[in-house]
Amino acid sequence: MTLIRVALDVPVARLFDYRCDDRAAQIGARVLVPFGRQKLIGIIVARPDISEVPEAKLKRALSVLDAEPLLGRADLRLLEFAADYYVHPLGAVIMATVPAALRRVRSREEKPTAYALTAAGAAADVATLPPRARAQRELLALLQDHPAITHGAIAALGAATRKALQTFITQGWVQTTILPQDKPATMSTPAAGPALTAEQNTAVETITATLGTYQPVLLWGITGSGKTEVYLHVIAAALSRETQVLLLVPEIALTPQLESLVIARFPGIPVATLHSGLADGERATRWQDARNGRARIVLGTRLSAFTPLPDLGLIIVDEEHDTSFKQGEGFRYSARDLAVVRARQAGVPVVLGSATPALETYRNAVDHRYQLLTLPERINARPPVISCIDLRHEKAIDGLSPRLIAAIGKRISRNEQSMVFINRRGYAPVLMCGSCGWMSDCKRCSAKLVVHLRERRLRCHHCGHDSAVPSACPDCGDADLAPVGQGTQRIEAALAKHFPKARILRVDRDTTRRKDAWQDMRSRIRERTVDILVGTQILAKGHDFPHLNLVGVVNADGMLYSNDFRAAERLYALLTQVAGRAGRGDQQGEVLVQTEFVDHPLYAALRDQDFDAYARSLLAERRQAGFPPYVHQALLRAEARTVDIALHFLAQAARNARRLKPAVTVYDPVPANMMRKSGRERAQLLVQSPSRADLRTFLNAWRPYLAETASTAARWSLDVDPAEF
C-alpha cells in the first residue's frame, strides 16, 4: 500500500493521509481527494511508510493532477516555516499561496498568450498611420521589432496601447500566439540607463559581490536618490548569472510603472507580474511561468513572496517599511520578513530598500546584522524645503490656510503642478446635527459614516455600509445637518472655489476603482494637463512627477496622537514619502505641512530631513518602554456577537496560558481599539517576550489549548508580530 500525506485548505492544524494507487505521485504535486462529502485539491507533502489512521479507514486519493511537482522542496520548506512561525495550519498556508485557478477541482490550465503580427500587419507601414494615432504607431513599431509580445507587457503600456491592440486585431494586423515554455537561452544586453553616482556605483558593486551568498542589505536612500536604478543594475548582474529575480512592491498601484521600467530596461527577458488585480487564469499563467523558470523576473505584491522560483538568485523588497507587506486577515504573515527567511534558506542576497526604514530593519542595520548602504543625495535635484504652517496663528478655511492657497496660486502662475495631500477620502469624516449633536455613526462598526457629498451617500470605510444622506436629523428632525472635517472631495471643492480655472485631479480609492484609471491619471499628470492634484496615500509612494514642485499636507496631526505606539514612526515615513514627490525636476520643491504642533520633535526632524536622529530617538523610547523591536509580540484576537463573549474566551485563554508557566508576559484581555466591526464585537489579548525563541515555544504549546477552548460563539485568530492593535 502506498501512502501520501496531503495538505488541505481546512482550518485545522493537521495533515491527512490517503491511499494512492499512483506510485509516481510526488511530493509537491496536486492531488484530488475525498473529504467528507466534498472533493478537494490538496498538495502532497510527504509519502509516509505508516499512518496513524487504521488501514480500514484510509480513503483512496481520486487522482494525481500533476506529472511533476507544482511546488519544490525549497518552496515547501519556506511554507512549513511560515506555518510554524505564524502558528497557522500548514494546509491553509500552502493552498493560500497557490493561484485560485489551480485550486479549483475543474480548473483549466491556461497557456501563456502573446500577440504577434499577421502577414498583413508585418507588411504595414508605420508612416501610413495618422500622426495623432501615437499609440498605434508605437505599438506597430514595437511588434515589428519583436516576434511576439506578452499580454502583460502590452497591458503595462497603458489603456491607449491596449485600445490600439484591439484595433489591429479587428483589422487583421495582429493575432494571438502561444509563447514557448522553455527558458530564454541567453540574456539580452540590458538597455542603457543613466550614469550612476559614486554612491549608487558603490551600492551596486557591494550588492553584486554578494550574489551567490546570503546577505541581507538595507539600501537606505532619501527619496529621489536613485534606489530603483541600483535595483536595475543589480538585477542585470543577477540575470547575467542565469538566475531569477524576485522584486516585491507594497501595492498594486506601483506595479505598472515599475513593470514598464523593467521591461524597457531588459528587452526580451520574460517578466511575470503578480498581484490581486489579475484575473484567475492570467495569474495562474504568470505563476506557472515563474515556477517553470521561464519568467526570469517576478514583480509582485506580498503574496509573491511565496512564488516558486527554481533559479532564485536575488530578492529585492522595495519600500520595505510599508505596512502593506503585512497580511491583515487570515494567514497574517509579513512578506518582508519571509523574504529575508527565503533568502537565508536559498543562500541569496536580499535587498531591503527604503527612505524611512522600519525601526526593526534599521536596528538590524545599525547592529550590523544587515549590511547598511546609503544614498544620501538626490539625483540631479535638491531636496525640498520643508516648513510648517502654524494653524494656531493662521486659520484654515475649508481645510486650507491662506499661506498654502497663496503658494498654490504662485505655482499655477508658473505653469507648475501642486499636490494637496490628505489621508482621508470622501467629503467629510462625519455628518453632524447642529441642534442635538447627532453624528452619523455606523451601526455595524465603532466608526463614523463618511460623507460622500457628490453621490449624496454616507459610507463606512470599514464594513462597506452605504446609505443615503438623510434630509433631516434622525433624532430631532432638524434639517441643520452639516459635514464636519475634511476629506479629498471637500478639499477638491475648496480648491475649485479658489482656483476656478485650474485643472484639478482627485486621486483616491474612489476615483481609481475603474481598471486602468490610475494609469490614465498618471499619463495626464505627466502630459501636464493637470494643475493641482488632491489625493491620499496612492500619490505618496514611488511616483516621479517632474513638474510637481509644491506639496501641501492637510490634517497630519490626526495621526500624531494615536494610541498605537508605531503612530509617530508611520507618520514620519508617510510625510517623508509625500514630501519626496516635490521638486523632482530643475526647480527645488517646497513642502508645507499644516499643523497645530509645529514644535513637536517629529516635525522638527522632518524639517531637518534627519531620519537617522529621529529613528535613534524612537529606538531609545522603545527600549525604555519595552516595545518592539526590543520585545517580540503576539496578539490573540477574538470576535463574537457581544464583547462579553469575546472577553470571556480570551480570559479563559489567558488562564490556560499562565498554567503553562511560560517565559512570556501574558497581559489581560481588553476590547479592541475598534471594538465593533461589521456587526461583530472584538477584543484582544497580548503576549510578549524579549526572546523570539521563547515566544515561539510558548505559542506552539498554547495553540492546542486555544483549539480546545474555541466555540462557535467566538472566532479567534493569532497574529504574530502584529503591525496594528
Side-chain angles (χ1 to χ4, degrees):
M1 178 180 66
T2 301
L3 295 176
I4 57 173
R5 187 155 290 159
V6 180
L8 296 172
D9 188 8
V10 292
V12 292
R14 56 163 296 193
L15 303 172
F16 300 89
D17 292 347
Y18 289 88
R19 296 181 183 181
C20 184
D21 295 331
D22 188 346
R23 293 184 176 274
Q26 300 179 66
I27 293 174
R30 288 176 303 158
V31 60
L32 181 65
V33 296
F35 189 81
R37 297 181 179 180
Q38 308 175 72
K39 295 178 182 178
L40 298 180
I41 287 180
I43 297 289
I44 301 172
V45 296
R47 296 186 59 177
D49 295 326
I50 58 174
S51 173
E52 295 180 357
V53 180
E55 184 175 344
K57 292 187 177 181
L58 278 173
K59 294 183 179 180
R60 191 179 304 277
L62 301 176
S63 61
V64 177
L65 303 179
D66 300 307
E68 59 182 43
L70 198 69
L71 300 175
R73 297 295 179 111
D75 305 316
L76 291 172
R77 185 157 62 115
L78 177 66
L79 293 164
E80 288 165 358
F81 172 89
D84 176 68
Y85 184 84
Y86 293 104
V87 198
H88 202 76
L90 178 60
V93 169
I94 292 176
M95 298 310 294
T97 67
V98 175
L102 302 178
R103 299 197 303 263
R104 288 193 285 266
V105 174
R106 294 182 180 178
S107 66
R108 177 176 62 87
E109 188 170 326
E110 299 181 15
K111 295 182 178 179
T113 301
Y115 300 95
L117 290 174
T118 62
D125 186 354
V126 173
T128 62
L129 295 173
R132 291 186 178 181
R134 187 177 64 181
Q136 291 186 23
R137 297 167 70 91
E138 291 177 352
L139 178 59
L140 182 58
L142 189 64
L143 286 165
Q144 288 176 341
D145 290 340
H146 296 82
I149 300 178
T150 66
H151 175 81
I154 290 178
L157 297 176
T161 304
R162 289 192 297 277
K163 185 177 180 180
L165 176 69
Q166 293 304 317
T167 300
F168 287 170
I169 291 174
T170 301
Q171 63 191 33
W173 285 12
V174 170
Q175 62 187 353
T176 59
T177 185
I178 302 298
L179 289 172
Q181 291 299 299
D182 55 328
K183 301 179 188 178
T186 57
M187 156 83 177
S188 61
T189 302
L196 297 180
T197 65
E199 290 84 2
Q200 285 177 308
N201 196 57
T202 297
V204 170
E205 290 178 351
T206 303
I207 298 169
T208 301
T210 68
L211 292 173
T213 61
Y214 167 63
Q215 176 61 63
V217 176
L218 170 58
L219 181 62
W220 171 27
I222 67 170
T223 55
S225 61
K227 292 186 291 294
T228 302
E229 196 59 38
V230 172
Y231 300 157
L232 294 173
H233 278 75
V234 177
I235 288 171
L239 293 175
S240 70
R241 295 167 63 98
E242 298 187 355
T243 60
Q244 291 173 289
V245 177
L246 175 61
L247 175 53
L248 298 178
V249 295
E251 295 181 7
I252 295 175
L254 297 179
T255 55
Q257 177 178 333
L258 192 53
E259 182 182 39
S260 299
L261 189 59
V262 169
I263 290 172
R265 182 62 66 89
F266 302 107
I269 297 297
V271 178
T273 304
L274 297 171
H275 54 73
S276 60
L278 299 173
D280 287 350
E282 188 174 13
R283 184 182 181 94
T285 296
R286 297 183 184 188
W287 188 88
Q288 290 279 35
D289 283 348
R291 183 192 69 83
N292 61 32
R294 184 184 175 279
R296 308 310 289 170
I297 302 173
V298 173
L299 168 63
T301 48
R302 61 174 175 258
L303 191 59
S304 306
F306 297 101
T307 305
L309 297 165
D311 304 321
L312 180 63
L314 171 68
I315 301 176
I316 299 172
V317 184
D318 191 27
E319 307 291 357
E320 64 83 28
H321 67 277
D322 200 291
T323 55
S324 298
F325 283 122
K326 174 75 173 180
Q327 171 68 25
E329 300 291 339
F331 171 35
R332 299 170 184 261
Y333 64 93
S334 165
R336 178 200 64 203
D337 295 347
L338 286 176
V340 176
V341 172
R342 184 172 189 178
R344 185 178 68 235
Q345 291 181 347
V348 302
V350 54
V351 180
L352 309 175
S354 177
T356 54
L359 288 187
E360 289 82 357
T361 304
Y362 186 73
R363 185 201 176 198
N364 282 329
V366 297
D367 288 350
H368 306 294
R369 296 188 187 95
Y370 295 175
Q371 187 168 10
L372 177 61
L373 300 173
T374 60
L375 301 176
E377 303 291 337
R378 272 194 169 192
I379 305 296
N380 299 323
R382 291 172 290 171
V385 176
I386 302 176
S387 56
C388 292
I389 298 175
D390 192 343
L391 293 182
R392 296 171 300 179
H393 303 127
E394 187 171 338
K395 185 177 180 181
I397 301 174
D398 292 330
L400 302 173
S401 64
R403 182 177 166 189
L404 178 56
I405 293 170
I408 294 172
K410 185 177 180 181
R411 298 294 174 174
I412 292 175
S413 67
R414 294 179 181 175
N415 195 28
E416 298 173 8
Q417 293 173 325
S418 303
M419 180 175 84
V420 177
F421 173 83
I422 177 170
N423 203 28
R424 185 183 294 275
R425 60 191 173 98
Y427 186 83
V430 65
L431 190 67
M432 182 176 177
C433 174
S435 296
C436 70
W438 170 88
M439 292 187 184
S440 55
D441 293 314
C442 177
K443 291 182 171 55
R444 303 181 69 234
C445 300
S446 301
K448 306 298 182 185
L449 295 175
V450 178
V451 182
H452 287 250
L453 195 62
R454 188 168 298 177
E455 302 89 343
R456 302 285 305 171
R457 310 296 292 178
L458 294 175
R459 291 174 180 161
C460 178
H461 292 174
H462 299 280
C463 71
H465 172 80
D466 186 303
S467 61
V469 173
S471 57
C473 175
D475 285 356
C476 71
D478 196 313
D480 183 20
L481 296 177
V484 178
Q486 291 85 32
T488 50
Q489 290 182 1
R490 191 167 196 172
I491 295 297
E492 179 188 24
L495 288 167
K497 183 169 62 176
H498 286 289
F499 306 104
K501 295 183 180 180
R503 298 163 297 181
I504 302 172
L505 177 65
R506 175 164 55 90
V507 182
D508 56 24
R509 190 180 301 176
D510 297 322
T511 61
T512 57
R513 289 184 190 279
R514 178 179 57 82
K515 187 177 181 182
D516 306 323
W518 176 222
Q519 293 186 48
D520 294 340
M521 289 178 178
R522 285 178 52 241
S523 297
R524 290 177 58 191
I525 297 168
R526 287 187 170 276
E527 292 168 2
R528 305 180 74 173
T529 60
V530 174
D531 298 313
I532 308 173
L533 295 169
V534 180
T536 57
Q537 289 192 53
I538 296 174
L539 284 173
K541 305 166 188 173
H543 305 298
D544 184 4
F545 303 132
H547 308 291
L548 177 63
N549 290 323
L550 172 68
V551 170
V553 180
V554 177
N555 284 359
D557 293 343
M559 292 178 61
L560 192 57
Y561 290 106
S562 165
N563 54 8
D564 187 340
F565 67 87
R566 291 189 175 92
E569 174 190 358
R570 289 176 178 164
L571 178 57
Y572 185 92
L574 178 59
L575 294 181
T576 300
Q577 292 290 328
V578 173
R581 300 314 107 209
R584 291 297 186 98
D586 297 332
Q587 300 295 321
Q588 185 173 24
E590 180 183 11
V591 180
L592 299 174
V593 181
Q594 297 185 165
T595 176
E596 294 183 353
F597 307 100
V598 292
D599 298 323
H600 192 283
L602 184 149
Y603 292 125
L606 186 69
R607 289 192 295 268
D608 295 338
Q609 300 183 54
D610 191 350
F611 171 80
D612 180 64
Y614 190 58
R616 289 180 184 273
S617 70
L618 288 179
L619 284 173
E621 291 176 5
R622 298 274 185 92
R623 183 192 291 273
Q624 185 176 12
F627 287 150
Y630 298 100
V631 298
H632 306 282
Q633 299 178 325
L635 196 66
L636 178 63
R637 307 175 191 267
E639 60 176 51
R641 181 172 47 85
T642 68
V643 71
D644 289 339
I645 294 174
L647 288 169
H648 176 74
F649 165 78
L650 292 177
Q652 191 170 352
R655 286 193 294 271
N656 288 333
R658 293 181 178 116
R659 289 192 190 107
L660 293 172
K661 297 181 179 179
V664 303
T665 301
V666 180
Y667 291 91
D668 292 330
V670 295
N673 288 335
M674 178 176 283
M675 191 169 71
R676 184 172 65 257
K677 184 176 180 181
S678 300
R680 303 279 290 181
E681 304 288 338
R682 309 190 305 162
Q684 59 196 32
L685 169 66
L686 177 67
V687 296
Q688 71 178 34
S689 172
S691 167
R692 191 186 299 273
D694 287 346
L695 181 61
R696 287 183 66 182
T697 299
F698 163 72
L699 292 177
N700 286 322
W702 194 31
R703 182 184 171 85
Y705 290 95
L706 297 176
E708 292 173 7
T709 308
S711 68
T712 55
R715 295 198 298 259
W716 64 273
S717 64
L718 198 57
D719 188 356
V720 180
D721 300 333
E724 295 180 348
F725 289 85

